[in-house]
Amino acid sequence: MEIQRLDKLDLIGKMAAGIGHEIRNPLTTVRGYLQFISSKEHFKEYADKFNLMISELDRSNMIISEFLALSKNKVSRLELNDLNVIVLAIYPLLEVDALSENKIINLELDRSIPTINLDESEIRQLIINLVRNGLEAMPYKGVLTIKTRHDNQHVMLVIQDCGSGIPQNIIDQIGTPFFTTKDNGTGLGLSVCYSIAARHKALIDFKTDKSGTAFTVSFNI
Ligand SMILES: Nc1ncnc2c1ncn2[C@@H]1O[C@H](COP(=O)(O)OP(=O)(O)OP(=O)(O)O)[C@@H](O)[C@H]1O
Ligand SMILES: [Mg+2]
């Protein structure tokens, strides 16, 4: 199951690497001209339309970036890092996101975790994707907790929400590329997390019930 999922991710990543570049260049040109034309007095009344076109192009670009992150051959830049430092660095960003929806993010960091080999930008992406999912699953005023822990062999990152949980009938599909239950979802967030975890030789596990979901990523020390 895990191998199958990773092979599928890898194939998608390779395809993306092949066509991503070819699609991005024209997108960049079109975006540039749209911005240039929209700044002209003559087109002022169409400002909304121009902004919409530009944001749609940005969305396409973002999807290509997510695709590119799926390749198994993508090389992670692993360096000894303190997971707490990475969490603290992006916390302000996550907090703004949460507060704008009237939700709260709590930190429970184990200050004694050892440093481990991490690709900082990938771990940032992994945290953002898991936190986004947690926030999206929670009602107004919900509380999400980011924890770090460790034992003798592992450093663990836990993202726990108090949302409505993952329904039993979709659990098998969690992490499958493009699987989404959201109107505006691409269904790539968790796939990206699984592929980042695989490159770190880390494992992702989750527990879910009606009172919420906790995703745990375990890194080897
Ligand atoms: N914390 C969670 N609580 C409840 N359901 C979840 C949670 N995390 C993931 N899911 C379910 O798994 C699906 C896939 O998640 P994934 O992050 O891969 O895609 P997405 O959030 O739908 O879209 P996006 O690509 O924008 O992340 C979600 O649509 C949702 O149904
Ligand atoms: Mg998501």
Side-chain angles (χ1 to χ4, degrees):
M1 164 71 188
E2 187 75 3
I3 301 283
Q4 258 175 16
R5 171 161 55 207
L6 290 175
D7 278 351
K8 213 179 202 178
L9 288 178
D10 193 42
L11 180 64
I12 292 175
K14 285 199 180 113
M15 281 165 56
I19 60 171
H21 189 71
E22 304 303 317
I23 295 178
R24 253 186 191 168
N25 285 345
L27 284 186
T28 309
T29 312
V30 175
R31 191 185 192 284
Y33 274 110
L34 282 177
Q35 216 155 22
F36 174 69
I37 298 169
S38 69
S39 67
K40 302 282 175 215
E41 192 60 36
H42 187 68
F43 289 106
K44 235 184 171 136
E45 61 174 306
Y46 299 111
D48 285 359
K49 302 285 182 298
F50 276 102
N51 286 339
L52 181 67
M53 287 192 276
I54 290 170
S55 69
E56 289 291 296
L57 287 181
D58 288 345
R59 189 173 137 77
S60 315
N61 213 353
M62 201 193 71
I63 293 175
I64 296 173
S65 304
E66 287 191 10
F67 267 137
L68 290 173
L70 292 174
S71 173
K72 193 160 62 183
N73 294 341
K74 181 175 177 294
V75 187
S76 298
R77 289 193 41 221
L78 299 178
E79 288 169 355
L80 279 182
N81 267 300
D82 182 340
L83 181 59
N84 290 336
V85 172
I86 301 179
V87 172
L88 287 169
I90 57 163
Y91 178 65
L93 205 125
L94 301 171
E95 201 185 21
V96 170
D97 209 11
L99 288 177
S100 73
E101 302 168 4
N102 252 293
K103 294 167 190 172
I104 293 168
I105 301 184
N106 266 338
L107 295 183
E108 285 178 22
L109 304 183
D110 173 351
R111 299 284 167 175
S112 64
I113 56 172
T115 55
I116 44 175
N117 277 316
L118 300 172
D119 179 316
E120 184 179 346
S121 72
E122 290 196 332
I123 297 304
R124 225 184 290 147
Q125 186 68 55
L126 172 111
I127 296 172
I128 291 171
N129 290 0
L130 291 176
V131 167
R132 267 279 18 118
N133 280 347
L135 291 174
E136 283 163 1
M138 292 195 310
Y140 182 73
K141 291 200 167 157
V143 179
L144 180 137
T145 310
I146 304 177
K147 299 180 197 175
T148 55
R149 293 195 273 120
H150 80 290
D151 60 23
N152 288 337
Q153 278 134 31
H154 305 100
V155 169
M156 275 111 22
L157 169 72
V158 182
I159 314 268
Q160 183 167 24
D161 66 62
C162 60
S164 47
I166 303 175
Q168 197 64 38
N169 60 330
I170 66 164
I171 281 189
D172 283 349
Q173 301 182 72
I174 287 297
T176 305
F178 300 112
F179 173 73
T180 182
T181 57
K182 300 170 191 170
D183 290 343
N184 295 318
T186 54
L188 286 174
L190 281 176
S191 297
V192 168
C193 294
Y194 277 98
S195 89
I196 291 173
R199 286 195 289 273
H200 282 77
K201 301 196 169 34
L203 280 181
I204 297 186
D205 192 17
F206 61 89
K207 293 209 157 42
T208 186
D209 62 33
K210 283 196 296 296
S211 58
T213 304
F215 274 86
T216 301
V217 190
S218 303
F219 301 90
N220 296 320
I221 290 179

